Every structure is written in structure tokens, then in C-alpha cells.
Amino acid sequence: MVSIEPSIALTGRYSIEEASKMLGIHRNTLLRYTVQGKIRCGIRRGTSRKFYLGSEILRFWKAQL
């Protein structure tokens, strides 16, 4: 986990890859945290892919301090 607050747009949508890079964790770790309910994700209707809102990424990052 990175110690510096990620610089992101609060209303932006970020893929699993982008969110895991911002947080400094592996994508499988991010997916495990999602299953455990530590971070919430949305699902795109057209492609059924997961995304993470910038506000949710910051909330999760602050909770891990």
C-alpha cells in the first residue's frame, strides 16, 4: 500500500488495473478486498467489467492508514 495519497478525480471511474496501481497493491489483492467488502466496486452495464470510483479508492486508502 502506498503511503502517499493517490492523486485521482473523485468522480472518475478506474479499472481494476488502474486502481491497484494507484494503491500500490496487486490486482488479486484488490479483488480479494472487494470480495471481503473492504472496498466497493461498480459494474459497467455494457461490458460487465468492474470499476472503482475515485471517491471509493480514497475512502479505502484512508481507512488503511
Side-chain angles (χ1 to χ4, degrees), residues 27-54:
R27 59 177 287 139
N28 290 342
T29 304
L30 180 61
L31 291 173
R32 186 174 68 233
Y33 289 157
T34 303
V35 170
Q36 292 173 352
K38 294 182 179 182
I39 185 169
R40 291 175 293 176
C41 70
I43 299 178
R44 295 184 194 270
R45 290 183 184 168
T47 61
S48 298
R49 290 183 180 237
K50 293 180 181 176
F51 67 86
Y52 296 88
L53 290 175

Side-chain angles (χ1 to χ4, degrees), residues 2 37 46:
V2 294

